[in-house]
Amino acid sequence: MGKYVLKRIGYMLLTLFIIASVTFFLMKLLPGSPFNNEDRLSDTQKEILLDKYGLNEPVPVQYVKYMTALAQGDLGISFQFDGRPVSTLIGERIGASAFLGMQSLILGTVLGLILGTIAAIRHNSWVDYSATVASVLGLSIPSFVFASLLQYYVGVKLQWLPVAFWTTWEHTILPSIALSLVVIATTSRFMRTEILEVLGQDYIITARSKGLSNARVIVTHAIRNAMIPVITILGPLAVNLITGTLVIERIFSVPGLGQQFVSSIATNDYPVIMGTTLFYSTLFIGVILLVDILYGIIDPRIRISGGKE
Amino acid sequence: MSLPKHEISTELFQPAQVRKENKEVIARPSISFWKDAWIRLRKNKAAVTGLIIIVFIALMAFIGPQMSKYGFNDQDLMRVNLPPKVQGLENISFLGLDGVDIRGMDQYKLKQQKDYFWFGTDALGRDQWTRIWEGTQVSLLIAFVAAILDLLIGITYGGISAFYGGKTDNYMQRFIEILIGIPNLVIIILLILILKPGITSIIIAMAISGWTGMARIVRAQILKLKGQEFVLASRTLGAGDKRLVSKHLIPNVLGPIIITTTFTIPTAIFFEAFLSFIGLGLRPPTASLGSLVNEGFRSLQIFPHLMLIPSIIISLLMISFNMLGDGLRDALDPKMRK
Amino acid sequence: MEKLLELKNVHVSFNTYGGEVKAVRGVNLQLDKGESLAIVGESGSGKSVTSKAVMRLLPAKTSKIKEGQILFEGKDLVKASNREMEKIRGAEISMIFQDPMTSLNPTMTVGKQIMEGLRKHQNMSKGEAKERAINLLKLVGIPNPEVRVQEYPHQFSGGMRQRVVIAIALACNPKLLIADEPTTALDVTIQAQILDLMRDLQEKTGTAIILITHDLGVVANLAQRVAVMYGGTIVETGTVDEIFYKPKHPYTWGLLASMPKLHAESKELLAIPGTPPDLLNPPKGCPFAARCPYAMEVCVEHMPEAYDVSTSHKAACWLLDERAPKVEPPEEALVGGAR
């Protein structure tokens, strides 16, 4: 198992290196100037600015410098925010996004697992059908549509919860619900299939032949075995959540990383775009690696055979 | 049927003429794979409904704009932000199709408009009906072209990888592994920044990031098939290449390909809309469902119709494609045959 | 002997897309305490369904016991509630399944899987149950049971897993053990070990056994009585000797003839021509009539009743009627030369 993890980390670093390089060279190809008031700048002023951001050196030199700095965790300096380091900007914004993401992930998986299990146990009943319909809706309706409607009806019309901003915990409820919709839908759908699959296995009949009650068979035998594969979708789900934060944060005016990323795209703030892209990539890849390792820890078949290596 | 023994006549105790050929008949009719799949798909109400809605929306995307005399960019400040109003339905007030806005004012009267705008008008007085159906056209175009590109690249790459095997396969798979490591979102955003937002760049970006899944599925299916016992069994029984391809390869590979494509389309529709929503979508005046939702979002609280109608259409499309995809998956999976 | 289990005219049907499959059609069987009975037949003859019907483990949504009684110590299991069945399963009747690779939960230690039944039926504490589990593993011949009780199924070989399955089945000293093809999925050498173990355990515990198999070799090893099933009905029952040496039903002849024999000069293995009947539309007469070389008109039209050959031997075949022509079993069906 240790060997496997090392190999995976190697792959992860290689992928990140490629992403960083590609991002760097793509940014060099980008049209448009980083300075929004370029025409009013004199040549000397421009010179000073280019110098400040190291943009007047030959591209290969810039590349080496960029990569060296990157290895030390330095993501460069923002064009827009008064020369502040990108890593500081990310650090300031990540808190709200992380909170929103984790809250939605927990809410979504817990609800999804429960819903999926109930649907599978009551297979082909109205509960099952409505859970299926709900999960198709959840997977189909674009998150920003759902979020806007939620904001409009629950926030504006009914005035049950705050419409936007990020001050008290009440403010986090609507965005979390909006963000967790996809998680609920995916998890419940997956869990339902898995439970149905597990219930058809021989060892379930063995368990029943011991005289265990249906409820006990489901709790001690079916759910655990069904949940192991569910772990594999947590990676893609987390990625999905990060994508979701880009729009949800915009809709609910959450001061998170997603909103900052979207606005940096609008203002051509290249260092912020590059830095955030790299940050997201690391997060994506790290989460997927983590989920794989977690899978190995939870499934005894992998755990033991890996240990003997 | 058991009778008391004495009631059975003695003549019956004669050797019976049992015809030999009757011994080996197979009792159930045999159904071809595609016919069987079609029967099962047709039985699936959700999938059929999905298919009908898709066909209807696709037709409307082409017929819709012809039904209105206004072009998609005909602006007129005299008729801005009109709510929807439909002949015949205008007297049923709860439908909200009577031209009255959320403050209870009949905007058509106020602005002295005699025309009916079925989906209302936007902030520049453009007819939403025309814009929404043309936007649907654009969204569908992007989704279909992206899906077809995925299909072509994926099948070629996966096919070559599985067919040649060995080192070629190994290198091709390592390459995919790295590519899959890079999140789609990152690739798409970077590419669109460079290519300038527009229909073509969105399609290119989605094709570049989307084909890997298809390539892996095609490769996995072919490899699985190569090593499977039923192929060997079929060969041993004297099946030729032609029969192997038509009876085994196609049903087994085509099924997953069709299913994957059916799910690629809604993903593409969603991604296009998503990009529009974060400001990387189409440039005006061209509209897609995503950019219409985005525009509508800005005035959601005052003119909800601008966002609601394109939202409904995009959601309907996504739901229908997902239902159709689920139905196809059930129908094309031979394991489901009971 | 005291009667333990009695099946009276049991019918089981499955609902499929094609209609109602009548898998078991009027089975009558009985079993005494401590006795071992083998049910023999080819796939699809209804032997597994019969055994699962006794345990009431058939899928509730697609199958139904249409009529008949399953009397276990005089109590009708067909009418038993789920709660009552839960008390019987594992404690009074337990079951061993065909494939030890899939019949154990892969994510639970074998010890826990053995302890589950003990804790439910005998209210044992964790410590007591664990001790008993270790003893059971020792009983079924697993070396080093103190360590292995903590291990997961995938750490055991196929034969060892089947021993674990047997330990689970025997945990609460059941009165009846149903073994559904317990050796089919195992290597030949392991098969013999498992059969030896089962015979051994039966002698020690006095548990009655129903052995479901298609393998007549297994039958001779373990069973005292045999029931031959075909097309959802029992065509012949008798002691092992009666079935092997004085078979009366042409299907039993076919089964015996198709058994490989050591002493016979190298003749080809004999198969019974044709396929089993379609139970969606079962024949109204004898289910074997279509494949029977001795079939008469009456066989096609009427289901034969069981004729008593001796007090312990019954066969459902019209050939036993006094009006039928006298037919001798073929030479190939005679085991170890004619008696």
Side-chain angles (χ1 to χ4, degrees), chain B residues 220-239:
Chain B
Q221 286 295 324
I222 295 181
L223 284 185
K224 196 175 97 193
L225 224 59
K226 264 183 163 176
Q228 228 160 47
E229 284 169 15
F230 74 87
V231 172
L232 187 67
S234 182
R235 272 207 191 285
T236 330
L237 291 171

Side-chain angles (χ1 to χ4, degrees), chain C residues 245 331 334-339:
Chain C
Y245 298 112
E331 201 188 321
L334 302 174
V335 179
R339 279 224 178 159

Side-chain angles (χ1 to χ4, degrees), chain A residues 120-124 201-203 205-214 216 220-222 224-225 228 298-305 308, chain C residues 52 55-58 61 86-87 89-91 93-95 97 99 102-108 112-114 116-117 120-121 152 154-155 168:
Chain A
I121 296 169
R122 301 259 171 270
H123 186 39
N124 286 340
Q201 297 287 322
D202 286 352
Y203 56 79
I205 304 183
T206 308
R208 289 182 57 205
S209 79
K210 287 180 212 170
L212 303 183
S213 64
N214 272 338
R216 208 177 158 78
T220 54
H221 290 271
R224 185 185 159 97
N225 281 292
I228 290 174
I298 288 180
D299 191 335
R301 281 161 295 189
I302 299 175
R303 190 203 312 164
I304 309 280
S305 58
K308 276 182 186 161
Chain C
K52 288 211 173 103
M55 285 287 266
R56 293 267 310 273
L57 281 177
L58 293 164
K61 276 176 192 148
E86 278 164 23
K87 281 198 183 127
R89 283 188 208 125
I93 311 178
S94 59
M95 198 157 178
F97 298 94
D99 189 355
T102 56
S103 54
L104 290 172
N105 183 343
T107 61
M108 196 185 263
K112 262 199 172 153
Q113 295 189 54
I114 300 174
E116 268 185 328
K120 153 119 193 173
H121 295 298
Y152 289 92
H154 69 269
Q155 293 164 285
I168 293 176

Side-chain angles (χ1 to χ4, degrees), chain A residues 11 140 148 189 250 277 284, chain B residues 174 183 186 277 307 322 326:
Chain A
Y11 255 109
S140 304
S148 319
R189 196 181 160 108
R250 186 187 153 207
T277 304
F284 286 151
Chain B
R174 290 295 88 75
V186 170
F277 201 79
M307 171 155 181
N322 278 325
D326 284 345

Side-chain angles (χ1 to χ4, degrees), chain C residues 47-258:
Chain C
K47 53 192 189 326
S48 278
V49 175
T50 308
S51 65
K52 288 211 173 103
V54 173
M55 285 287 266
R56 293 267 310 273
L57 281 177
L58 293 164
K61 276 176 192 148
T62 52
S63 66
K64 200 174 177 223
I65 301 176
K66 301 280 275 194
E67 56 173 292
Q69 285 179 308
I70 300 174
L71 300 170
F72 180 77
E73 297 190 307
K75 181 182 170 66
D76 189 359
L77 299 185
V78 176
K79 295 199 181 81
S81 71
N82 282 339
R83 288 295 283 274
E84 289 170 312
M85 275 321 292
E86 278 164 23
K87 281 198 183 127
I88 290 172
R89 283 188 208 125
E92 309 276 329
I93 311 178
S94 59
M95 198 157 178
I96 301 172
F97 298 94
Q98 176 170 355
D99 189 355
M101 298 313 221
T102 56
S103 54
L104 290 172
N105 183 343
T107 61
M108 196 185 263
T109 61
V110 298
K112 262 199 172 153
Q113 295 189 54
I114 300 174
M115 286 152 65
E116 268 185 328
L118 291 169
R119 301 201 61 185
K120 153 119 193 173
H121 295 298
Q122 307 196 339
N123 280 327
M124 284 191 182
S125 72
K126 242 186 184 159
E128 286 170 332
K130 191 171 174 189
E131 207 165 296
R132 169 94 174 121
I134 293 171
N135 282 334
L136 280 162
L137 287 178
K138 204 181 281 165
L139 184 73
V140 296
I142 288 178
N144 217 352
E146 292 84 4
V147 179
R148 307 226 71 179
V149 76
Q150 301 279 20
E151 293 185 345
Y152 289 92
H154 69 269
Q155 293 164 285
F156 289 74
S157 68
M160 285 293 159
R161 279 192 214 187
Q162 196 62 309
R163 285 171 193 264
V164 172
V165 174
I166 293 174
I168 293 176
L170 291 178
C172 303
N173 295 321
K175 293 180 181 131
L176 171 62
L177 177 66
I178 302 175
D180 189 352
E181 306 256 8
T183 58
T184 309
L186 302 172
D187 291 345
V188 181
T189 47
I190 312 288
Q191 285 188 5
Q193 291 173 14
I194 295 291
L195 288 174
D196 283 347
L197 173 70
M198 285 179 62
R199 201 176 37 228
D200 225 48
L201 291 172
Q202 194 194 10
E203 276 163 22
K204 275 186 207 160
T205 58
T207 303
I209 291 183
I210 295 182
L211 175 72
I212 316 280
T213 182
H214 63 269
D215 184 349
L216 284 169
V218 173
V219 173
N221 244 316
L222 198 63
Q224 293 153 358
R225 279 199 310 125
V226 181
V228 180
M229 258 191 111
Y230 186 78
T233 62
I234 288 185
V235 294
E236 187 166 4
T237 58
T239 63
V240 170
D241 279 356
E242 283 164 339
I243 297 294
F244 273 74
Y245 298 112
K246 293 174 206 155
K248 292 295 175 198
H249 197 286
Y251 177 66
T252 316
W253 298 346
L255 270 187
L256 289 166
S258 62

